[in-house]
Amino acid sequence: MQYWLMKSEPDEFSFDDLERRPDQKEPWDGVRNYQARNMMRDSMQVGDQVFFYHSNCEVPGIVGIAQVASAPRPDHTAFDPDDKHFDPKSDPDNPRWFLVDVGFVRHLTRKIPLAEIKQHAESLEGLPLIRRGNRLSVMPIEPDHWDYILDLEAGATE
DNA sequence: GCCAACGTTGGC
DNA sequence: GCCAACGTTGGC
């Protein structure tokens, strides 16, 4: 079992949007970063747990738990000239971009803001989310950090 | 809206 | 292969 964090702009696709999907799943298309792609393509396994993070909004933070809900497969949006994420260099016979399905698990009882997570930088040392200049939209979370952040949800550490 | 940090592109 | 220019991310 591995743990991840995935970012989404709530104006584009929010955690509530995921919950409202008929099967509560969404293909995580549009990722055009090699590091993020490699994690989805090479490391993710069905059932891995995911922190769902809202970025580029008033209070950025972790809002819910999701899970990896499919094996990796080519990102079809890269082949579609009309798609915003079209990439002419991605060849259907040798796809450049991959995705997994992300499935809804549960809301957190409260949003855990980035600002609060940063207050625990000592305990969360190495967490990519709080590393300087980090912009990865998909990142691994160490099991200890996963547990620590879930404890924050319950307010156990304030 | 600003801007720091980062990844990518492309000329050489 | 270097590196300047550019585009994007994302917190603030």
Side-chain angles (χ1 to χ4, degrees):
Chain A
M1 165 74 76
Q2 300 169 96
Y3 300 100
W4 308 93
L5 180 145
M6 298 171 85
K7 295 179 183 174
S8 186
E9 302 188 20
D11 288 347
E12 300 287 326
F13 187 80
S14 72
F15 195 56
D16 288 338
D17 292 331
L18 180 63
E19 183 180 19
R20 282 195 291 264
R21 282 285 188 266
D23 52 2
Q24 298 195 318
K25 283 196 283 188
E26 181 73 3
W28 210 250
D29 58 31
V31 171
R32 297 293 180 266
N33 170 283
Y34 288 104
Q35 267 182 278
R37 176 206 68 181
N38 291 348
M39 288 186 269
M40 290 199 293
R41 188 190 61 185
D42 305 333
S43 302
M44 283 192 180
Q45 308 216 312
V46 171
D48 283 357
Q49 299 294 107
V50 178
F51 280 140
F52 198 104
Y53 178 92
H54 279 173
S55 67
N56 242 317
C57 55
E58 198 172 344
V59 181
I62 298 168
V63 295
I65 295 177
Q67 64 184 350
V68 176
S70 80
R73 62 179 187 277
D75 182 345
H76 54 93
T77 64
F79 310 136
D80 178 1
D82 295 326
D83 194 280
K84 181 179 161 189
H85 300 291
F86 174 59
D87 180 358
K89 293 179 200 152
S90 188
D91 176 357
D93 293 328
N94 185 19
R96 175 178 292 200
W97 304 113
F98 288 78
L99 58 75
V100 296
D101 285 349
V102 171
F104 176 86
V105 175
R106 70 169 177 90
H107 288 271
L108 295 189
T109 55
R110 65 183 185 94
K111 177 193 274 184
I112 303 176
L114 176 62
E116 181 177 341
I117 293 169
K118 283 181 170 173
Q119 289 170 7
H120 298 270
E122 261 180 58
S123 305
L124 296 172
E125 192 175 0
L127 182 71
L129 187 66
I130 55 176
R131 270 210 293 263
R132 194 178 62 104
N134 163 73
R135 298 185 322 176
L136 267 184
S137 64
V138 177
M139 66 184 72
I141 304 284
E142 295 171 26
D144 286 353
H145 291 169
W146 177 274
D147 292 339
Y148 189 90
I149 291 168
L150 278 185
D151 283 345
L152 291 182
E153 178 192 19
T157 322
E158 276 303 327

